[in-house]
Amino acid sequence: RCHHCSTAMLDIPFLPFCAFLGTLGLLCVAMVGTWCQHWRGGFSLDGSSRTFNWHPVLMVTGLVVLYGAAALVYRIPNTWSSPKLPWKVLHGSLALGAFVLTVLGLAAVFCFHNSQGTPNMYSLHSWMGLGTVLLFSCQWAVGFGAFLLPWAPTWLRALYKPIHVFFGSTILMLSVASCMSGINEKLFFSLKNGTMQYKLLPAEAVFANTLGLLILIFGVLVVAALARPSWKRPDSNTLDSRQ
């Protein structure tokens, strides 16, 4: 009886869960924008630190939130009774949008470093972030060739599908780790004077650390939704043939 009760409690409908997840994602975007606007001076394209501020906003928006939305497209129950091709296009388009925002975010940080004479690619955060973006680009290109172009045979798609799903979740968690390490690195660099030291936990540190935790929760919930068996789109030869 206890087992059935616990199972019922965990049987959360997908759409309310998705609405909560969307709200959490929007909150992450709003918080990173607020952090950069309120504490870091706002946004600009002049090569100053305000140019750098585009980097965290675009990375969180693209590499975490929009990428997470793309990953959950196939979990929407309303899509299960319709042909798969339109949802493939939506999935690929959202991922492409996330990739474009990510590239713009990289351009912002490289522009800032070059204008300030700061070396590029010297920290663990930068290595992890660039590696995630490169893996993401390979994932999108191979997925586009395997699932959207008509040349790929069915057996090849079936062979590659679990690999694609695995690396999709892996890239999301790498994105979350990169964002969290970037937030921590920025706080260490910025909060150094006597009244605003990071170890004294000023308001900016509390706010940014909270942002990092929310990004982590968002990523974990997306991966949990991807792993939930009852939310997976049923495989059907009929749907593939209808496509």
Side-chain angles (χ1 to χ4, degrees):
R1 182 178 301 175
C2 292
H3 172 72
H4 289 305
C5 290
S6 61
T7 303
M9 291 175 63
L10 293 174
D11 190 17
I12 305 171
F14 175 79
L15 292 181
F17 175 86
C18 194
F20 170 77
L21 202 56
T23 302
L24 181 58
L26 291 176
L27 179 61
C28 290
V29 174
M31 286 186 67
V32 70
T34 301
W35 177 34
C36 293
Q37 179 66 43
H38 181 71
W39 279 286
R40 296 292 103 217
F43 303 92
S44 177
L45 297 176
D46 57 2
S48 67
S49 60
R50 293 185 298 167
T51 299
F52 172 86
N53 289 340
W54 287 108
H55 175 68
V57 171
L58 291 172
M59 288 304 193
V60 170
T61 304
L63 206 55
V64 177
V65 178
L66 197 56
Y67 184 87
L72 291 176
V73 165
Y74 294 126
R75 299 302 187 267
I76 302 174
N78 297 3
T79 69
W80 295 353
S81 59
S82 60
K84 207 172 182 180
L85 182 59
W87 303 105
K88 285 185 178 183
V89 174
L90 178 60
H91 173 74
S93 299
L94 289 174
L96 181 60
F99 181 72
V100 171
L101 293 181
T102 300
V103 171
L104 293 176
L106 285 180
V109 70
F110 279 116
C111 177
F112 167 71
H113 282 177
N114 294 336
S115 66
Q116 301 296 318
T118 304
N120 293 306
M121 303 305 300
Y122 64 89
S123 66
L124 176 61
H125 164 68
S126 61
W127 295 357
M128 186 185 305
L130 186 60
T132 303
V133 175
L134 292 176
L135 187 60
F136 181 15
S137 62
C138 294
Q139 168 89 340
W140 192 91
V142 177
F144 178 81
F147 297 118
L148 279 174
L149 295 182
W151 67 269
T154 303
W155 66 266
L156 180 60
R157 295 181 180 184
L159 180 67
Y160 176 64
K161 180 180 176 181
I163 300 174
H164 185 77
V165 172
F166 169 78
F167 277 105
S169 298
T170 300
I171 291 169
L172 179 61
M173 295 316 298
L174 286 174
S175 302
V176 169
S178 298
C179 288
M180 294 179 68
S181 64
I183 290 171
N184 196 245
E185 184 178 284
K186 183 62 177 177
L187 290 175
F188 273 121
F189 286 158
S190 301
L191 302 181
K192 295 184 292 187
N193 62 58
T195 58
M196 292 289 291
Q197 292 184 55
Y198 189 14
K199 66 181 180 181
L200 299 179
L201 202 64
E204 180 181 355
V206 174
F207 188 88
N209 286 344
T210 303
L211 168 64
L213 288 177
L214 292 179
I215 291 173
L216 176 61
I217 293 171
F218 179 88
V220 169
L221 290 179
V222 172
V223 172
L226 294 175
R228 189 178 178 91
S230 61
W231 288 350
K232 292 183 179 180
R233 179 187 175 109
D235 289 328
S236 172
N237 293 330
T238 304
L239 294 181
D240 289 340
S241 63
R242 286 173 60 188
Q243 170 184 305

